[in-house]
mmCIF file of all heavy atoms in Angstrom:
data_model
loop_
_atom_site.group_PDB
_atom_site.id
_atom_site.type_symbol
_atom_site.label_atom_id
_atom_site.label_comp_id
_atom_site.label_asym_id
_atom_site.label_seq_id
_atom_site.Cartn_x
_atom_site.Cartn_y
_atom_site.Cartn_z
ATOM 1 N N TYR A 75 18.949 23.339 16.947
ATOM 2 C CA TYR A 75 18.532 21.929 17.109
ATOM 3 C C TYR A 75 17.080 21.764 16.688
ATOM 4 O O TYR A 75 16.330 22.737 16.516
ATOM 5 C CB TYR A 75 18.773 21.417 18.529
ATOM 6 C CG TYR A 75 18.137 22.213 19.648
ATOM 7 C CD1 TYR A 75 16.785 22.082 19.944
ATOM 8 C CD2 TYR A 75 18.899 23.066 20.440
ATOM 9 C CE1 TYR A 75 16.210 22.776 21.002
ATOM 10 C CE2 TYR A 75 18.334 23.780 21.487
ATOM 11 C CZ TYR A 75 16.982 23.639 21.771
ATOM 12 O OH TYR A 75 16.420 24.326 22.802
ATOM 13 N N GLN A 79 8.222 16.753 19.308
ATOM 14 C CA GLN A 79 7.415 17.274 20.413
ATOM 15 C C GLN A 79 6.162 16.413 20.541
ATOM 16 O O GLN A 79 5.439 16.237 19.558
ATOM 17 C CB GLN A 79 7.025 18.726 20.168
ATOM 18 C CG GLN A 79 8.207 19.685 20.196
ATOM 19 C CD GLN A 79 7.789 21.131 20.035
ATOM 20 O OE1 GLN A 79 7.035 21.460 19.127
ATOM 21 N NE2 GLN A 79 8.278 21.986 20.910
ATOM 22 N N LEU A 87 13.626 23.628 16.088
ATOM 23 C CA LEU A 87 12.961 24.187 17.273
ATOM 24 C C LEU A 87 13.765 25.264 17.968
ATOM 25 O O LEU A 87 13.238 26.233 18.488
ATOM 26 C CB LEU A 87 12.768 23.086 18.302
ATOM 27 C CG LEU A 87 11.686 22.063 18.039
ATOM 28 C CD1 LEU A 87 11.775 20.967 19.080
ATOM 29 C CD2 LEU A 87 10.344 22.740 18.100
ATOM 30 N N GLY A 88 15.050 25.023 18.050
ATOM 31 C CA GLY A 88 15.797 25.913 18.932
ATOM 32 C C GLY A 88 17.206 26.103 18.440
ATOM 33 O O GLY A 88 17.575 25.565 17.415
ATOM 34 N N ASP A 89 18.021 26.934 19.127
ATOM 35 C CA ASP A 89 17.617 27.469 20.422
ATOM 36 C C ASP A 89 17.106 28.892 20.252
ATOM 37 O O ASP A 89 17.864 29.783 19.898
ATOM 38 C CB ASP A 89 18.780 27.417 21.402
ATOM 39 C CG ASP A 89 18.242 27.245 22.789
ATOM 40 O OD1 ASP A 89 17.437 28.090 23.214
ATOM 41 O OD2 ASP A 89 18.573 26.243 23.427
ATOM 42 N N GLY A 90 15.846 29.025 20.548
ATOM 43 C CA GLY A 90 15.175 30.291 20.295
ATOM 44 C C GLY A 90 15.359 31.342 21.372
ATOM 45 O O GLY A 90 14.946 32.484 21.196
ATOM 46 N N ARG A 91 15.925 30.939 22.508
ATOM 47 C CA ARG A 91 16.065 31.967 23.559
ATOM 48 C C ARG A 91 17.225 31.712 24.505
ATOM 49 O O ARG A 91 17.263 32.304 25.581
ATOM 50 C CB ARG A 91 14.762 32.103 24.348
ATOM 51 C CG ARG A 91 14.241 30.803 24.913
ATOM 52 C CD ARG A 91 13.066 31.107 25.804
ATOM 53 N NE ARG A 91 12.422 29.877 26.244
ATOM 54 C CZ ARG A 91 11.476 29.816 27.136
ATOM 55 N NH1 ARG A 91 11.049 30.920 27.711
ATOM 56 N NH2 ARG A 91 10.926 28.680 27.494
ATOM 57 N N LEU A 114 15.707 37.499 21.095
ATOM 58 C CA LEU A 114 15.478 36.755 19.864
ATOM 59 C C LEU A 114 16.781 36.201 19.284
ATOM 60 O O LEU A 114 17.853 36.811 19.422
ATOM 61 C CB LEU A 114 14.850 37.655 18.814
ATOM 62 C CG LEU A 114 13.388 38.054 19.062
ATOM 63 C CD1 LEU A 114 12.961 39.108 18.041
ATOM 64 C CD2 LEU A 114 12.478 36.831 18.973
ATOM 65 N N TYR A 117 16.628 31.361 15.559
ATOM 66 C CA TYR A 117 15.850 30.126 15.724
ATOM 67 C C TYR A 117 14.619 30.355 16.603
ATOM 68 O O TYR A 117 14.037 29.382 17.113
ATOM 69 C CB TYR A 117 16.733 29.021 16.313
ATOM 70 C CG TYR A 117 18.120 28.985 15.697
ATOM 71 C CD1 TYR A 117 19.255 29.241 16.461
ATOM 72 C CD2 TYR A 117 18.288 28.748 14.338
ATOM 73 C CE1 TYR A 117 20.524 29.225 15.895
ATOM 74 C CE2 TYR A 117 19.545 28.733 13.763
ATOM 75 C CZ TYR A 117 20.671 28.979 14.540
ATOM 76 O OH TYR A 117 21.913 28.985 13.973
ATOM 77 N N SER A 118 14.218 31.598 16.787
ATOM 78 C CA SER A 118 13.138 31.891 17.722
ATOM 79 C C SER A 118 11.753 31.537 17.197
ATOM 80 O O SER A 118 10.785 31.513 17.947
ATOM 81 C CB SER A 118 13.148 33.366 18.138
ATOM 82 O OG SER A 118 14.317 33.698 18.830
ATOM 83 N N ARG A 119 11.642 31.272 15.895
ATOM 84 C CA ARG A 119 10.336 30.981 15.286
ATOM 85 C C ARG A 119 9.324 32.044 15.719
ATOM 86 O O ARG A 119 9.555 33.211 15.595
ATOM 87 C CB ARG A 119 9.871 29.553 15.645
ATOM 88 C CG ARG A 119 10.840 28.475 15.173
ATOM 89 C CD ARG A 119 10.373 27.112 15.594
ATOM 90 N NE ARG A 119 10.317 27.019 17.039
ATOM 91 C CZ ARG A 119 9.525 26.205 17.730
ATOM 92 N NH1 ARG A 119 8.713 25.408 17.082
ATOM 93 N NH2 ARG A 119 9.541 26.197 19.029
ATOM 94 N N MET A 120 8.180 31.618 16.296
ATOM 95 C CA MET A 120 7.134 32.571 16.656
ATOM 96 C C MET A 120 7.392 33.201 18.043
ATOM 97 O O MET A 120 6.639 34.068 18.477
ATOM 98 C CB MET A 120 5.764 31.898 16.685
ATOM 99 C CG MET A 120 5.428 31.107 15.428
ATOM 100 S SD MET A 120 5.415 32.149 13.977
ATOM 101 C CE MET A 120 3.821 32.943 14.207
ATOM 102 N N GLY A 121 8.423 32.734 18.721
ATOM 103 C CA GLY A 121 8.640 33.181 20.096
ATOM 104 C C GLY A 121 9.261 34.557 20.188
ATOM 105 O O GLY A 121 9.684 35.145 19.187
ATOM 106 N N ASP A 122 9.341 35.081 21.393
ATOM 107 C CA ASP A 122 9.870 36.423 21.611
ATOM 108 C C ASP A 122 11.284 36.391 22.198
ATOM 109 O O ASP A 122 11.838 37.437 22.530
ATOM 110 C CB ASP A 122 8.940 37.212 22.543
ATOM 111 C CG ASP A 122 8.682 36.488 23.859
ATOM 112 O OD1 ASP A 122 9.364 35.468 24.118
ATOM 113 O OD2 ASP A 122 7.804 36.943 24.623
ATOM 114 N N GLY A 123 11.835 35.195 22.383
ATOM 115 C CA GLY A 123 13.212 35.094 22.887
ATOM 116 C C GLY A 123 13.326 35.344 24.383
ATOM 117 O O GLY A 123 14.414 35.340 24.930
ATOM 118 N N ARG A 124 12.196 35.548 25.030
ATOM 119 C CA ARG A 124 12.227 35.893 26.451
ATOM 120 C C ARG A 124 11.771 34.725 27.329
ATOM 121 O O ARG A 124 11.138 33.786 26.859
ATOM 122 C CB ARG A 124 11.295 37.098 26.716
ATOM 123 C CG ARG A 124 11.809 38.406 26.099
ATOM 124 C CD ARG A 124 13.163 38.777 26.681
ATOM 125 N NE ARG A 124 13.680 40.035 26.124
ATOM 126 C CZ ARG A 124 14.924 40.456 26.309
ATOM 127 N NH1 ARG A 124 15.783 39.735 26.999
ATOM 128 N NH2 ARG A 124 15.319 41.605 25.801
ATOM 129 N N ALA A 125 12.078 34.855 28.602
ATOM 130 C CA ALA A 125 11.553 33.942 29.619
ATOM 131 C C ALA A 125 10.921 34.815 30.701
ATOM 132 O O ALA A 125 11.422 35.902 30.976
ATOM 133 C CB ALA A 125 12.680 33.106 30.213
ATOM 134 N N ARG A 162 2.307 36.274 27.896
ATOM 135 C CA ARG A 162 2.018 34.843 27.866
ATOM 136 C C ARG A 162 0.484 34.723 27.913
ATOM 137 O O ARG A 162 -0.159 35.428 27.174
ATOM 138 C CB ARG A 162 2.701 34.116 29.030
ATOM 139 C CG ARG A 162 4.253 34.158 28.929
ATOM 140 C CD ARG A 162 4.799 33.362 27.750
ATOM 141 N NE ARG A 162 6.255 33.409 27.654
ATOM 142 C CZ ARG A 162 6.956 34.215 26.846
ATOM 143 N NH1 ARG A 162 6.314 35.068 26.044
ATOM 144 N NH2 ARG A 162 8.268 34.182 26.805
ATOM 145 N N ARG A 180 21.617 18.157 23.266
ATOM 146 C CA ARG A 180 20.331 17.469 23.367
ATOM 147 C C ARG A 180 20.233 16.408 22.272
ATOM 148 O O ARG A 180 20.910 16.520 21.242
ATOM 149 C CB ARG A 180 19.191 18.494 23.153
ATOM 150 C CG ARG A 180 19.236 19.607 24.162
ATOM 151 C CD ARG A 180 18.779 20.929 23.521
ATOM 152 N NE ARG A 180 18.982 22.042 24.450
ATOM 153 C CZ ARG A 180 18.109 22.395 25.377
ATOM 154 N NH1 ARG A 180 16.953 21.783 25.444
ATOM 155 N NH2 ARG A 180 18.380 23.375 26.197
ATOM 156 N N VAL A 246 7.698 17.696 30.072
ATOM 157 C CA VAL A 246 7.824 17.860 28.603
ATOM 158 C C VAL A 246 9.038 17.083 28.106
ATOM 159 O O VAL A 246 10.039 17.677 27.677
ATOM 160 C CB VAL A 246 8.058 19.306 28.133
ATOM 161 C CG1 VAL A 246 7.391 19.531 26.787
ATOM 162 C CG2 VAL A 246 7.629 20.325 29.126
ATOM 163 N N ASN A 248 10.126 16.013 25.502
ATOM 164 C CA ASN A 248 10.353 16.042 24.057
ATOM 165 C C ASN A 248 11.827 15.747 23.796
ATOM 166 O O ASN A 248 12.667 15.947 24.670
ATOM 167 C CB ASN A 248 9.965 17.414 23.494
ATOM 168 C CG ASN A 248 8.473 17.665 23.608
ATOM 169 O OD1 ASN A 248 7.681 16.715 23.659
ATOM 170 N ND2 ASN A 248 8.068 18.928 23.658
ATOM 171 N N ASP A 250 14.027 17.275 22.239
ATOM 172 C CA ASP A 250 14.909 18.437 22.388
ATOM 173 C C ASP A 250 15.113 18.781 23.864
ATOM 174 O O ASP A 250 15.945 19.646 24.170
ATOM 175 C CB ASP A 250 14.324 19.648 21.640
ATOM 176 C CG ASP A 250 12.912 19.976 22.103
ATOM 177 O OD1 ASP A 250 12.057 19.083 22.074
ATOM 178 O OD2 ASP A 250 12.673 21.122 22.523
ATOM 179 N N ASN A 251 14.380 18.127 24.735
ATOM 180 C CA ASN A 251 14.566 18.352 26.164
ATOM 181 C C ASN A 251 15.256 17.159 26.825
ATOM 182 O O ASN A 251 15.150 16.983 28.036
ATOM 183 C CB ASN A 251 13.224 18.620 26.833
ATOM 184 C CG ASN A 251 12.625 19.960 26.393
ATOM 185 O OD1 ASN A 251 13.349 20.854 25.950
ATOM 186 N ND2 ASN A 251 11.316 20.088 26.490
ATOM 187 N N ASP A 260 15.931 21.553 31.017
ATOM 188 C CA ASP A 260 14.732 22.297 30.630
ATOM 189 C C ASP A 260 13.564 22.102 31.598
ATOM 190 O O ASP A 260 12.666 21.309 31.382
ATOM 191 C CB ASP A 260 14.308 21.968 29.186
ATOM 192 C CG ASP A 260 15.156 22.754 28.203
ATOM 193 O OD1 ASP A 260 16.194 23.322 28.618
ATOM 194 O OD2 ASP A 260 14.787 22.804 27.008
ATOM 195 N N CYS A 514 2.940 24.609 29.684
ATOM 196 C CA CYS A 514 4.216 24.749 28.983
ATOM 197 C C CYS A 514 4.650 26.197 28.925
ATOM 198 O O CYS A 514 5.803 26.488 28.637
ATOM 199 C CB CYS A 514 4.077 24.240 27.549
ATOM 200 S SG CYS A 514 4.367 22.474 27.403
ATOM 201 N N SER A 516 6.172 29.533 29.267
ATOM 202 C CA SER A 516 7.299 29.902 30.125
ATOM 203 C C SER A 516 8.014 31.115 29.562
ATOM 204 O O SER A 516 9.099 31.430 29.962
ATOM 205 C CB SER A 516 8.261 28.723 30.263
ATOM 206 O OG SER A 516 8.735 28.326 28.998
HETATM 207 P P1 AMP B 601 10.295 23.822 25.077
HETATM 208 O O1 AMP B 601 9.304 22.766 24.677
HETATM 209 O O2 AMP B 601 9.792 24.727 26.137
HETATM 210 O O3 AMP B 601 11.581 23.186 25.445
HETATM 211 O O4 AMP B 601 10.522 24.767 23.824
HETATM 212 C C1 AMP B 601 11.038 24.284 22.621
HETATM 213 C C2 AMP B 601 11.912 25.309 21.976
HETATM 214 O O5 AMP B 601 11.149 26.446 21.628
HETATM 215 C C3 AMP B 601 13.022 25.839 22.886
HETATM 216 O O6 AMP B 601 14.186 25.116 22.760
HETATM 217 C C4 AMP B 601 13.223 27.252 22.439
HETATM 218 O O7 AMP B 601 14.222 27.315 21.468
HETATM 219 C C5 AMP B 601 11.919 27.591 21.802
HETATM 220 N N1 AMP B 601 11.217 28.569 22.628
HETATM 221 C C6 AMP B 601 10.444 28.343 23.703
HETATM 222 N N2 AMP B 601 9.961 29.518 24.186
HETATM 223 C C7 AMP B 601 10.458 30.490 23.401
HETATM 224 C C8 AMP B 601 10.355 31.909 23.376
HETATM 225 N N3 AMP B 601 9.622 32.583 24.242
HETATM 226 N N4 AMP B 601 11.021 32.560 22.397
HETATM 227 C C9 AMP B 601 11.766 31.925 21.489
HETATM 228 N N5 AMP B 601 11.896 30.600 21.470
HETATM 229 C C10 AMP B 601 11.265 29.882 22.401
#
Side-chain angles (χ1 to χ4, degrees):
Y75 56 78
Q79 293 184 310
L87 286 173
D89 210 303
R91 54 173 173 172
L114 289 172
Y117 318 116
S118 296
R119 300 177 298 154
M120 309 299 283
D122 55 9
R124 292 299 181 192
R162 295 293 180 262
R180 301 145 188 274
V246 214
N248 294 335
D250 56 306
N251 292 337
D260 280 13
C514 273
S516 59

